[in-house]
Amino acid sequence: MAEGAARGLGREVEGGCLERADVDPYGVPGPNGRDGWANFDQTTGYERELVDILRFMHEHAIRNSVWITTDVHFAEAFRYTPFAADPGFAVYELVTGPMNAGIFPTTDFDTTLDPERLAFFGPPSPGAVTTWAEAKRWFNFGELSLTSGGSLTIRIVNTAGNIAFERTLTPS
């Protein structure tokens, strides 16, 4: 699995690696733990494959990775430290969306990879949004900005252009 995962890694740049995932976010379980990286309390999902990928990255010193995920109808940002023996190995995840769709937030997340939630941008519950005017406040997108020095700024931006979350990561 690890060799196959290596071929699938995104373009590695000096000091980091940027990934895009076509399944639901790491820590946010899909219904019954399926259809995503996190298996939560189920036996389905792609968690074992994700751990294989992270192990490969760790063994090959691919650090400072940022994963961009979506499809949960709210926005979050996480920092994961999946290897207790190496707390300096961290993986960041930026979860964004939607620009225009139903809003179904959940504050539940899978703790397998030792996550730290850096941001949550969404209403407290799906029922808290009952009108289009209320919904527009929560529509969002992700934004990435890379400097010539290699610093990467990740943002969650609402549709009014206001920054709901921002974090700058520097190469190590």
Side-chain angles (χ1 to χ4, degrees):
M1 170 58 192
E3 291 303 320
R7 286 191 297 273
L9 290 175
R11 181 168 171 246
E12 187 177 350
V13 294
E14 185 176 333
C17 184
L18 186 63
E19 298 297 332
R20 165 188 66 77
D22 289 333
V23 296
D24 287 345
Y26 288 174
V28 182
N32 300 316
R34 59 184 166 73
D35 194 33
W37 293 111
N39 66 7
F40 209 39
D41 60 353
Q42 306 294 312
T43 58
T44 60
Y46 304 106
E47 188 172 284
R48 288 177 296 180
E49 291 84 351
L50 175 60
V51 171
D52 283 347
I53 292 168
L54 294 176
R55 189 172 294 116
F56 179 90
M57 292 172 69
H58 186 250
E59 290 169 359
H60 290 83
I62 301 171
R63 293 180 170 264
N64 299 325
S65 67
V66 176
W67 292 61
I68 303 164
T69 58
T70 189
D71 197 27
V72 293
H73 298 259
F74 58 96
E76 290 184 291
F78 287 99
R79 179 179 186 268
Y80 299 91
T81 51
F83 305 109
D86 186 359
F89 181 86
V91 176
Y92 289 86
E93 178 183 33
L94 183 65
V95 183
T96 62
M99 284 290 288
N100 182 6
I103 299 172
F104 312 109
T106 179
T107 56
D108 293 338
F109 59 92
D110 189 311
T111 59
T112 303
L113 301 175
D114 194 22
E116 172 190 0
R117 180 183 276 149
L118 303 174
F120 177 86
F121 183 69
S125 69
V129 177
T130 59
T131 68
W132 171 254
E134 292 169 349
K136 288 192 308 185
R137 173 180 179 207
W138 301 109
F139 295 153
N140 66 87
F141 58 93
E143 182 178 83
L144 305 174
S145 175
L146 182 64
T147 69
S148 61
S151 294
L152 177 68
T153 300
I154 57 176
R155 294 182 189 93
I156 297 170
V157 182
N158 72 12
T159 53
N162 300 317
I163 296 171
F165 168 78
E166 179 177 77
R167 172 71 55 106
T168 298
L169 307 170
T170 56
S172 58

